[in-house]
Amino acid sequence: SDAAAAESTTKTIPDWGCTLLRSLHGQWLAGELCDGVLRPADAAGGHSDRSRDVRVHRAVVAAAFPGMAKKFGSTGAAMSSSSSSEGEALPVLLSAFDHRTTRALAEFAYTGRLQLAPATVAAQMRAADFYLSEEATDAALEYLEEQLAPDSCLDIREVAAPCSRGANTEAKALQ
């Protein structure tokens, strides 16, 4: 038994987590094996038009956004179901944000990249804070700090005020 233990070893594949996430991102882009739907606020009213739905792997968005994990895991009012092209029902999370923001959050979950611009940063930061992603909220705050100029101070203060690095009371109520 000592000889067998001496021959046994564990090998670690470098950057396996990155490789795995890149593979999941490719599956997401191809719409493969997605088991959940994020329904943006601007699509929630039109029951027949689901073209703005964002299909996702629930485990990926739940890992990136703890606030989504709680909602996807619940059977509360935020959840419903949607039929996929294969006919099975998929859990749907009704997003409080528009399609652009919802899609950006999904992209962030798979890549760790958040595409920020002056026109989108406020909504993305509120969404990241609401869904309890400290990393995405910090990225948005960092972007705002980089944009700081005397003529933009008040605008940036208004955008950043509700997002004091996870202090969002609505999001904390989800816990």
Side-chain angles (χ1 to χ4, degrees):
S1 99
D2 288 336
E7 295 174 17
S8 175
T9 188
T10 300
K11 296 288 186 179
T12 301
I13 308 302
D15 299 321
W16 178 247
C18 292
T19 301
L20 186 63
L21 204 50
R22 269 194 304 274
S23 177
L24 285 166
H25 183 238
Q27 289 176 355
W28 176 65
L29 291 173
E32 297 172 345
L33 304 174
C34 295
D35 62 352
V37 175
L38 300 178
R39 181 154 298 144
D42 54 2
H47 295 290
S48 61
D49 179 19
R50 298 299 181 218
S51 64
R52 300 185 69 71
D53 283 357
V54 180
R55 291 184 59 175
V56 295
H57 299 100
R58 288 183 296 160
V60 173
V61 295
F65 299 99
M68 284 188 188
K70 292 201 180 283
K71 286 190 166 202
F72 261 135
S74 77
T75 57
M79 294 288 292
S80 64
S81 65
S82 176
S83 294
S84 73
S85 58
E86 292 84 30
E88 78 273 10
L90 298 176
V92 175
L93 173 58
L94 301 178
S95 173
F97 302 95
D98 66 13
H99 180 265
R100 176 188 277 182
T101 301
T102 301
R103 177 86 185 176
L105 292 180
E107 182 75 29
F108 173 79
Y110 287 93
T111 65
R113 293 187 305 262
L114 190 59
Q115 185 68 37
L116 297 164
T120 62
V121 67
Q124 289 172 337
M125 187 167 56
R126 281 191 297 273
D129 191 57
F130 182 79
Y131 291 123
L132 306 176
S133 174
E134 187 174 322
E135 296 82 1
T137 302
D138 286 350
L141 286 169
E142 183 179 314
Y143 172 81
L144 287 174
E145 289 170 3
E146 292 167 358
Q147 303 304 308
L148 196 58
D151 61 333
S152 66
C153 285
L154 291 177
D155 292 339
I156 289 175
R157 183 172 169 229
E158 287 177 23
V159 169
C163 301
S164 57
R165 297 188 191 257
N168 184 320
T169 55
E170 288 180 280
K172 290 198 183 233
L174 293 172
Q175 296 180 2

